[in-house]
Amino acid sequence: MSEIARDGETLKGAELEERLTRTWSRAPGLWGWITTVDHKEIGRRYIWTAMTFMVLGGILAAVMRAQLARPESGLISADRYNQIFTMHGTTMMFLFAVPVMEAIAIYIIPLMVGTRNIAFPRLNAFSYWTYLFGALLLWVGFILNIGPDAGWFMYTPLSGPQFSPGKRTDIWAQMITFTEVAGIAVAVELTATILKFRAPGMSLGKMPLFVWAILVTSIMIILSLPSVALASAMLLSDRLIGTQFFNAFEHGDALLWQHLFWFFAHPEVYIIFLPATGFVSQIVETFTGRRVFAYPAMVLALVATGFLSFGVWVHHMFATGLPRLGYDFYTASSMAVAIPAAIQIFCWIATIWLGRPRFTVPFLYVIAFIVTFVIGGLSGVMVASVPMDLELHDTYFVVAHFHYVLIGGAVFPLLGAITYWFPKFSGRMLSEGLGKAAFWLVVVGFNVAFFPMHLTCMLGMPRRVYTYPANMGWNGLNLLSSLGAVVIWLGGLIFIANVFLALRRPRGAAANPWGGSSLEWATDSPPPPYNFAHQPIATGHTPLWDVTDVLPVMTGLRVDDREQLITTAIEAVPDIRYPSPEPTPWPLLSAIALAALFIGSIFTPWAVVIGTVPLAIGFIAWFWPKSPPSKEPVIE
C-alpha cells in the first residue's frame, strides 16, 4: 500500500497518487508541451525524432543502392550523389545513432536507478530543442540543394574554402556544433543522475549493467565531443574569417583535421556500441532468468573499452604517411580493444548456457547481434594491421566492416531494446508475430546487402564512387546488395507497422510483463509523472528478483513539492533532498536564441556578437534564483 505522512495527515492509495500527480504533472495543452521537463516526455521526443532521422537516412541509403544497382546508371547526378552520401553518413552518425542511445537512456536511467526525474531537467529540455534545430538546419539545406557534399567526415582541404565554396560545408559544421552541445548536455545529465540520484542501497557494485554502460558512455562523450566541436569551429573560422588552421600553404596542417575528427569519431563508434551492450545485458538477464555471468568482468570490460577507445583513432590514418613507430602503438591498441568486447560476448554466452532462454523477439535480436558483431569485429581486427589496411583502405571491405559493426552491433540491439521496453514507453505490447517477421527480414536482408561487399572489395571496387563501368565484374554483387537493401526495407516497414498498430490499441501492459529484475519494472507501464510514489530501496543487483513480497521503500519526500533524494556517489547512502526544477519555457527560448546565433554566424560574424544578447537574456531568466518557500511563520 502506498502511504506517506505529512503535516499530521496520512496519505495513501489513490489520494497519495492524486496529490503526486498534481505536483509532478505538466500544464495541459501546447504550453505544457513546450515547457515540460519530464524526462519521459523528452526521452520519447528524442526517440521519435532520432528514429525519424533513421528512416530518412535509410531512404538516402536506398537511393544510393538504386544508383549502384547497375553500371553507368544515370538515376542521379554526381553532385546529388555526393550530397546524398554525405547526408546519409551525417544523419546516421550524428542525428540517429548517438542521439537514440542517449534518448533511451534519458527515459530509462531515472527509472532504473529509482528516482523521479533526471538531473538538470531544464538542461535536458534545452538539449532536445538544440538537437532538433541543428537537425532541421541540415535537412532544410539539403532540401534546398545546399546540402553538404564533402563526405560525413569533411576532410580538409576538400572541405576548406578553396575546394568547397558556398555554404554547404558551413551548414554541416554548424550542425555539428548543435549536436555536440546537445550531446554533451545529455552526457552531463546522465552522469549526474547515475552518480547522485541512485536509489538507496544501489552502490556502484550493484548498478545494472545498462547503467554502467551509460555511465562509461557519458564520460566518453564529455571527453571526446569537445574535440570535434573544436575542429568544426576551426573549419568555420578558416572558411568565414580567413584563418589558416588547415591550409598547408600558410603553415597550417590538413591532417590536423583528421586527428581532431577521429579522436572523437572513433570513440563515437564505442559511444554507440556500449549502450547497445547494456541493452543486450538487460535482455539476456531477463530472458534467461539469471544474473549476467561474471558481473565484475563485465563492468571492467565496459571501463576498459571506454579507456582503450581513445587510443585507436590513428588506424583511420594508416595511409597518410605518419611516423611508422606510431603505427605499432595504434595497431596494438586497435587489436586490444577487441579483448573486452570478447569478454562480454563470452559472458553473455555463458549466461544463456546456464539459464533457461525464452526466444522472444528481443532475445532473437540479441542472438543476431552476437553473430553479426563477431563477424564485424574480426574484420575490424584485420584492418587494424597496417599492411592489410593499406590494401583494404577506401574499398568496399571497409564499408562492409563498419556496417556489420554499427548495424549488427548497435541497430540490432536497439530494435531488441525498443521491443523490450515498448510496454514501459507506451503501456502496450508489440505483436510477437509481426516482430519475428520483421526480425527475419531485417537480419537476412542485412547479410544479403552487406556481406557481398567483402567480395566486391576483392574485385577492386573503391568506396565513394557514384557509378562504375560495366566491364569491371561488379554488376552481380552490386545488384545483390541492392536487393538486400530492399529486403531490409520490407522488414523495417513491418517493424514500423507493428509499432503504429500497437499504439492504436488501448493500454493494457502489465507493470512487469517480461519478468524483469531492475527498478524500471517496479512502476506502472507507462510510469506516472512522478515515476514512484515512494523512493524505492535496492537490495541487490536484481532488486525485483531479490524480494519475495514487497519492494522496500523510503518515505519522507514532500508530496506537494517536486523533491528527489540525492544519495552518496559510491554507496548510495541517503544524503539530502533536492528540489527538482519546475517546467519553464526558457530552455526553448534559449535554444531558439542559440540557433539564431549559430545560423546567423554562417552568413556574418556579427551574428555572434548580436546573438549573444538574447542568449544571455534567456540564460539569465532560466537560472534566475527562486526564493525557497518559507519554512517558518511570517511575523508582521
Side-chain angles (χ1 to χ4, degrees), residues 59-109:
I59 292 172
L60 298 180
V63 174
M64 287 192 291
R65 284 315 320 167
Q67 167 69 15
L68 294 171
R70 58 188 181 90
E72 300 176 1
S73 173
L75 180 65
I76 55 178
S77 67
D79 176 68
R80 200 60 174 168
Y81 185 89
N82 285 342
Q83 289 187 59
I84 290 173
F85 166 77
T86 304
M87 287 291 297
H88 167 71
T90 301
T91 298
M92 289 304 199
M93 297 299 289
F94 293 101
L95 303 184
F96 162 64
V98 174
V100 80
M101 297 302 181
E102 290 190 320
I104 292 180
I106 287 170
Y107 192 102
I108 292 296
I109 287 295

Side-chain angles (χ1 to χ4, degrees), residues 418-459:
I418 290 174
T419 306
Y420 176 62
W421 278 308
F422 191 80
K424 192 55 58 180
F425 297 148
S426 67
R428 303 165 177 89
M429 300 290 290
L430 291 175
S431 164
E432 192 77 4
L434 288 176
K436 288 182 177 178
F439 164 80
W440 286 111
L441 286 171
V442 168
V443 172
V444 171
F446 167 79
N447 284 281
V448 171
F450 290 101
F451 193 83
M453 293 182 185
H454 296 95
L455 307 178
T456 314
C457 151
M458 300 304 174
L459 295 176

Side-chain angles (χ1 to χ4, degrees), residues 6 264 388 417 570:
R6 181 176 186 246
F264 152 77
M388 182 70 79
I570 306 298

